[in-house]
Amino acid sequence: MTPPDGAAPSPTPEPAYVQLITKHQRHLHSYIRTLVPTHADADDVMQETSLTLWKKREQYDNTRDFFPWACGVALIQVLRHRQRKATDKLWFNEEVLAQLAAQMDEDANLFEFRRDALDECLKKLSAPEKRVLELRYREGNNWESLAAQLDNSTRSAQRTMARVRRLLHRCIAARLREWQVG
């Protein structure tokens, strides 16, 4: 990707580039998954995309957003994969594929903003609220185990989790409204 003034792309050090790929890998896989018929195809295309992103690391301009650029690379890999599997009847036609890709590009910024909003909202939670989330999601505790660790009933743990989810939902919604106005 060349900047508008014709200068060479700003190089990204390899460790930073690896961090970008790692940071966006799950979302890039989701993007690919919307464009291919099966999980296996998505996995194959993701591998091809990761390899291509690595080969094209010198072409990435770090003054631009990585995710939309990576989605462009992924779309090319989806099209190549589609050509190799042309006999598969589950593929979308090219018009639908183009529409899905365009919609995903539009949604990429919103998705990134929602993720940033979640990060900011998590910082606003109290220590006990963060602990409930950690126990449930990071450690994967079921309701009974969560309740035991909180020294509460299962119902109380569920109510606490519902309250924390509502707080996060309201906070993220407020941040989205700010973003849309600003």
Side-chain angles (χ1 to χ4, degrees):
M1 198 176 280
T2 304
D5 62 4
S10 301
T12 303
E14 284 185 5
Y17 191 77
V18 169
Q19 285 180 333
L20 283 171
I21 291 174
T22 303
K23 175 183 175 187
H24 295 285
Q25 187 173 20
R26 188 179 71 194
H27 307 301
L28 194 55
H29 191 275
S30 296
Y31 169 78
I32 292 167
R33 181 62 186 103
T34 64
L35 302 175
V36 299
T38 69
H39 289 289
D41 286 320
D43 292 343
D44 290 346
V45 172
M46 185 65 208
Q47 281 186 327
E48 294 163 7
T49 300
S50 295
L51 183 60
T52 302
L53 287 171
W54 183 251
K55 288 177 182 176
K56 293 183 174 273
R57 66 187 178 276
E58 299 295 324
Q59 296 175 22
Y60 172 64
D61 179 359
N62 68 6
T63 63
R64 300 189 183 234
D65 288 335
F66 179 81
F67 187 69
W69 180 75
C71 285
V73 171
L75 179 59
I76 291 168
Q77 295 306 312
V78 167
L79 293 172
R80 287 182 179 159
H81 188 78
R82 182 175 188 252
Q83 286 175 344
R84 285 191 301 270
K85 295 211 157 205
T87 58
D88 192 341
K89 301 296 183 207
L90 296 174
W91 284 92
F92 299 121
N93 69 35
E94 288 191 25
E95 182 180 329
V96 171
L97 195 61
Q99 288 175 350
L100 286 171
Q103 184 62 47
M104 287 299 292
D105 286 343
E106 289 176 22
D107 292 346
N109 286 339
L110 178 61
F111 181 80
E112 288 296 316
F113 183 80
R114 288 180 65 91
R115 191 177 58 168
D116 291 344
L118 175 60
D119 289 343
E120 289 299 314
C121 293
L122 286 170
K123 291 176 186 174
K124 294 179 181 181
L125 293 177
S126 68
E129 292 164 339
K130 288 178 185 176
R131 178 161 160 65
V132 169
L133 290 175
E134 263 190 44
L135 290 171
R136 179 72 171 134
Y137 295 114
R138 190 166 287 158
E139 295 181 19
N141 288 295
N142 62 26
W143 290 115
E144 292 77 21
S145 177
L146 177 68
Q149 290 187 46
L150 295 174
D151 199 28
N152 281 330
S153 69
T154 301
R155 183 72 179 131
S156 177
Q158 290 172 334
R159 281 194 303 262
T160 300
M161 182 60 72
R163 184 180 56 76
V164 172
R165 286 179 183 152
R166 278 192 307 274
L167 286 171
L168 287 173
H169 178 74
R170 286 183 194 133
C171 179
I172 292 168
R175 301 273 300 152
L176 284 173
R177 283 191 299 274
E178 290 172 13
W179 177 65
Q180 289 172 340
V181 171

